[in-house]
Amino acid sequence: MNHILIDLCYAILDTVWDVLPIALIIFGFQFIILRKPIPNLKKIVTGFLLVLLGLGFFLEGLQAALFPLGKLMAYQLTNPEFIAGEHAGRILQWWDYHWVYLFAFAIGFSTTIAEPSLLAVAIKANQVSAGAIHTWGLRIAVAIGVAIGIALGVYRIISGTPLYWYIISGYVFVLIQTMFAPRMIIALAYDSGGVTTSTVTVPLVAALGLGLAGTVPGRNPLLDGFGLIAFASLFPIMSVLAYAQLSAWSNRRSQKSST
Amino acid sequence: MKSFKAVGGALFDSLRDLLPIILVIGFFQFAVLQQPIPNFGEIAVGILFVVIGLTLFVQGLNMGLFPIGESMAYAFASKGNIFWLLCFAFALGFGTTIAEPALIAVADEAANVAANGGMIASDERALESYAQGLRYTVAISVGIAIVIGVFRIVMGWPIQYLIVIGYLGVVIMTIFAPKEIIGIAYDSGGVTTSTITVPLVTALGVGLASSIEGRNPMTDGFGLIAFASLTPMIFVMGYGMLV
């Protein structure tokens, strides 16, 4: 119990270290260039302290509880002995990894729902759109995108196909969707690709990628272990654009039926 | 009593956000791997910490990060000096990225890949200088991304044209970049934007778009993060070609 508290202090100190350059830039520009007093300075400083404390607790909690178990799980599920099961000795096919796909999908979805930066963007989008974009609608759309992305990324590692095929076809798909999506969602959709992968998702997904690349025959962890994050940042763009298209379409339909 | 209820509600929201992960890990541990949960007490404390942390973070977000990002956006817009605004944008992008722990981890990994592929010598000094060079490359590219993104908001250009140019840049670089670097380059786009950067940059963009006449905070205000996850891919592949 004691060592958790000590680790917590370290986690908070680490966060202070990360926030320091940001605080210096903000207050430096505020006092030297803008030369204006900050409105509600006290409240803002309190807010910064809460963010520091919150991230410290958050990171330490993840380190103590979820990361060790999740990483261990990623290695156990990708272990050839577990995958082969009763068919030990047979050459494994891509569908033998079905639990890995399910794990990739589920862990992609659930870590995205807990991602604080996505929550921040969803809150802001809800405020700016005056409630037209629901916080939960956006978060679930992004989480589905990440889930599909990581499951497909896992398939890529297992099948050994080049990463850029997927990414470039993804780009083409995004551009086609952009032509048909409602204009107001486009910038937000592009943003949602970048916000999904941070504190919670990256460590677990990286463990999954490295575990798989280390155990699938013929894969090199240094070369094939990467790329899952790229999938997790591309697919939410598609799912958010699709979410906007679907809600625009159902709005039109309900308007038609009411007139 | 009222504030007590508010705190309880906020804690409940955080617990609900965390519930899917707990369910997923529990299901795979019991049903698929069929193993007991090791050191249960520690995990319960950890989950409690995560819930407290998420609750405090959301509070701080609304009290500190969002208001300061927006008030600075208003101040820059009313001052009307675009040079300092762009300087601030670069400093924010560079400063938040250079110290990012996820980036440090990826840069070290990339140095190993490069040494393994025979692109650099595999002694410690070569590895370290490669990783450091990569970190500066990514930080500069994020700085440039925020500058481009802010400039776009000021000019009111539609985001999709700039994104198409960025995608083309990624595709062209992929053709010429050494094969070993591609996976890391693609991943580096996703890891650069941290939990503190995202709310600040979002508030800055939305604040700018709502204080400049003729801009819509929804269509013009978002999009800064999109650039920050695109330019590192191009720059890291460029770095892989040069070094």
Side-chain angles (χ1 to χ4, degrees), chain A residues 4 19 22 25 30 33 36 47 54 61 73 76 103 110 119 124 133 139 171 191 194 197 199 222 226-227 229-230, chain B residues 17 28-29 33 35 46 53 60 70 72 78-79 91 96 109 113 116 187 190 193 195-196 200 218 223 225-226 233:
Chain A
I4 295 191
V19 173
I22 303 173
I25 292 167
Q30 189 76 40
I33 311 295
K36 265 187 203 158
M73 202 167 271
Q76 283 175 336
F103 181 72
S110 58
L119 181 58
K124 197 85 228 167
I133 292 167
R139 287 169 77 191
Y171 282 172
D191 264 2
T197 44
T199 358
L222 284 177
F226 294 96
I229 310 288
Chain B
D17 293 342
F28 275 89
Q29 189 77 0
L33 295 166
Q35 277 161 6
E70 272 171 30
M72 289 194 83
S78 68
K79 204 175 161 75
T96 54
E109 204 66 55
V113 173
N116 216 38
D187 273 2
T193 44
T195 317
I196 300 167
L200 264 179
M218 199 64 219
I225 309 289
M233 298 166 76

Side-chain angles (χ1 to χ4, degrees), chain B:
Chain B
M1 189 62 211
K2 208 176 163 192
S3 68
F4 185 75
K5 235 182 189 164
V7 171
L11 281 173
F12 176 78
D13 282 349
S14 306
L15 188 63
R16 198 184 45 191
D17 293 342
L18 205 61
L19 200 63
I21 302 191
I22 298 174
L23 288 178
V24 167
I25 290 192
F27 170 76
F28 275 89
Q29 189 77 0
F30 293 125
V32 181
L33 295 166
Q34 295 175 350
Q35 277 161 6
I37 299 267
N39 40 18
F40 189 78
E42 200 157 292
I43 288 178
V45 175
I47 289 175
L48 185 72
F49 277 12
V50 176
V51 170
I52 296 174
L54 202 55
T55 312
L56 291 176
F57 175 78
V58 173
Q59 274 302 316
L61 203 67
N62 286 320
M63 281 173 70
L65 292 185
F66 280 161
I68 188 84
E70 272 171 30
S71 85
M72 289 194 83
Y74 292 131
F76 274 114
S78 68
K79 204 175 161 75
N81 188 329
I82 190 156
F83 173 74
W84 283 117
L85 172 64
L86 295 180
C87 284
F88 176 68
F90 184 83
L92 198 63
F94 182 87
T96 54
T97 310
I98 195 77
E100 170 68 28
L103 175 63
I104 295 173
V106 167
D108 290 342
E109 204 66 55
N112 283 331
V113 173
N116 216 38
M119 285 145 66
I120 54 169
S122 52
D123 62 290
E124 203 162 298
R125 254 188 54 202
L127 285 177
E128 207 163 281
S129 80
Y130 186 88
Q132 185 137 18
L134 191 69
R135 273 174 60 199
Y136 276 97
T137 308
V138 173
I140 289 171
S141 71
V142 174
I144 293 174
I146 307 287
V147 168
I148 297 174
V150 163
F151 196 67
R152 173 193 85 89
I153 295 175
V154 173
M155 304 303 288
W157 293 334
I159 187 168
Q160 51 270 41
Y161 300 129
L162 291 173
I163 294 288
V164 170
I165 296 173
Y167 282 176
L168 281 178
V170 172
V171 173
I172 291 169
M173 294 304 273
T174 305
I175 301 170
F176 296 108
K179 245 183 75 195
E180 293 81 15
I181 202 86
I182 292 177
I184 293 166
Y186 282 10
D187 273 2
S188 68
V191 296
T192 48
T193 44
S194 78
T195 317
I196 300 167
T197 321
V198 167
L200 264 179
V201 165
T202 307
L204 179 76
V206 169
L208 273 177
S210 33
S211 53
I212 299 173
E213 221 191 299
R215 301 286 167 277
N216 176 330
M218 199 64 219
T219 49
D220 301 309
F222 290 94
L224 288 177
I225 309 289
F227 291 113
S229 21
L230 199 52
T231 52
M233 298 166 76
I234 301 173
F235 276 65
V236 169
M237 285 191 271
Y239 183 75
M241 281 157 64
L242 291 176
V243 181

